[in-house]
Amino acid sequence: FARVETTGKGEKKGKLNNGRNSATWGFEKLTPSKTTTKQWGQWSVEIKKLYAYFSATEEILEDAEIDIQAEMVRDVVMAFAEQEGYGFLLGDGNLQPKGLMTVATAYTGDNSRDWGTVQKFKTGVNGGFAAAPNGGDILISAFTSLRTAYRRNAIFGCNRFTFGELMKLKDTDGSYIWKPTWGMQDSPFGRILGAAVVPEFDHMADIANDSLSIFVGDLDQAYKIVDRRGVVIKRDDVTDPSESTWYVNKRTGGSVVNSEAVRFIEFKA
């Protein structure tokens, strides 16, 4: 759901249109005064290294009835995917990417919040939603706070346990606010407020006191993943004649680049 780009350097930077030139009305012979000039923001994504370094003895390689190298590399690729899933959500920005859910947050709106800080909304209950039928109100508040440009492709993101709680929310008529859409042409996990619900973010926090367990927004505009290159495999059969070693690595990074394109739900009173 996030935008993926490539780079030939150790860091990628870009400009973000963070406003619009203002205009005003005038009349003939009026001396014009300066109007507000748009503000441009700059984003940057640092490239990090993900690696695995493993070995197998000569006997294992010779006696195996399967392709040991292929099996081990396949496992590493799966491990990389798991690590990337964690890093792009919860990475601390040091040796890891800067995760979506680790950026600074505030309760203030777009006009008064520092750039790079994501707005969050409290459910009003520690570790839960408000009592029925008001539990879904916080989803409405967060969703409608997004500008039109970000609502159009917004999704609700969470893990599968939080998804289960979302499915239980009801309106004043006792109807579930989550609407199933089982067709493969639509979100297979249904919709809330017309936005797709995606419970595939396994590393997101379970619902607990003060947890940030749901986001809503347009990830394509909010978060950017930058790949320096794909997976590289280096095999060494020389250093130790009794075994082979493999060094597998990938260089990638990620960071929030537009903090106005996403909102967080905080389970806090």
Side-chain angles (χ1 to χ4, degrees):
F1 296 95
R3 181 170 300 186
V4 181
E5 298 182 358
T6 59
T7 183
K9 301 179 180 179
E11 181 181 20
K12 187 166 186 176
K13 298 180 179 181
K15 297 292 184 182
L16 181 69
N17 184 351
N18 188 24
R20 177 175 296 169
N21 289 328
S22 67
T24 189
W25 296 95
F27 56 86
E28 187 176 359
K29 295 185 179 180
L30 173 70
T31 301
S33 58
K34 285 187 176 180
T35 55
T36 303
T37 303
K38 74 161 64 181
Q39 300 297 307
W40 290 90
Q42 177 174 280
W43 55 263
S44 66
V45 178
E46 294 183 0
I47 304 303
K48 309 297 183 179
K49 181 181 285 188
L50 185 62
Y51 76 91
Y53 187 45
F54 54 92
S55 62
T57 65
E58 183 179 18
E59 288 77 14
I60 289 177
L61 293 173
E62 289 180 347
D63 298 341
E65 297 181 354
I66 60 173
D67 187 337
I68 292 294
Q69 174 173 303
E71 286 296 317
M72 297 177 76
V73 169
R74 187 179 297 112
D75 285 346
V76 167
V77 170
M78 293 177 63
F80 279 8
E82 182 75 10
Q83 287 292 327
E84 287 179 288
Y86 175 90
F88 296 142
L89 277 175
L90 301 175
D92 59 16
N94 293 322
L95 296 178
Q96 307 165 341
K98 183 63 176 177
L100 172 69
M101 306 304 296
T102 63
V103 299
T105 58
Y107 299 114
T108 47
D110 291 344
N111 293 332
S112 56
R113 193 175 67 257
D114 289 340
W115 184 255
T117 301
V118 171
Q119 186 177 5
K120 60 183 176 180
F121 291 78
K122 292 189 291 187
T123 62
V125 176
N126 286 324
F129 289 101
N134 301 316
D137 291 358
I138 192 64
L139 305 179
I140 297 173
S141 297
F143 182 71
T144 56
S145 74
L146 292 165
R147 296 179 182 178
T148 302
Y150 308 138
R151 281 201 314 272
R152 191 173 295 116
N153 296 311
I155 64 171
F156 284 94
C158 58
N159 67 28
R160 63 188 185 279
F161 303 110
T162 303
F163 176 49
E165 297 305 311
L166 281 173
M167 294 175 69
K168 300 174 186 176
L169 295 176
K170 297 179 180 180
D171 61 21
T172 53
D173 296 324
S175 301
Y176 292 108
I177 67 171
W178 170 79
K179 304 300 180 183
T181 50
W182 303 117
M184 294 304 292
Q185 301 302 316
D186 204 346
S187 169
F189 298 106
R191 291 180 175 269
I192 292 177
L193 304 175
V197 182
V198 183
E200 298 178 351
F201 298 90
D202 290 341
H203 296 289
M204 287 187 66
D206 294 338
I207 294 176
N209 291 351
D210 302 341
S211 66
L212 296 173
S213 300
I214 301 172
F215 71 79
V216 57
D218 184 350
L219 282 193
D220 185 66
Q221 299 192 60
Y223 196 86
K224 193 180 296 292
I225 297 170
V226 178
D227 288 337
R228 173 63 178 83
R229 53 170 167 71
V231 175
V232 173
I233 304 172
K234 298 179 180 179
R235 177 171 174 169
D236 180 7
D237 298 320
V238 177
T239 303
D240 185 344
S242 66
E243 67 177 18
S244 296
T245 59
W246 290 265
Y247 178 63
V248 185
N249 68 87
K250 178 181 181 180
R251 296 181 64 195
T252 188
S255 182
V256 171
V257 296
N258 185 343
S259 57
E260 293 185 355
V262 67
R263 302 285 191 260
F264 297 158
I265 305 296
E266 183 181 37
F267 287 81
K268 183 176 182 179

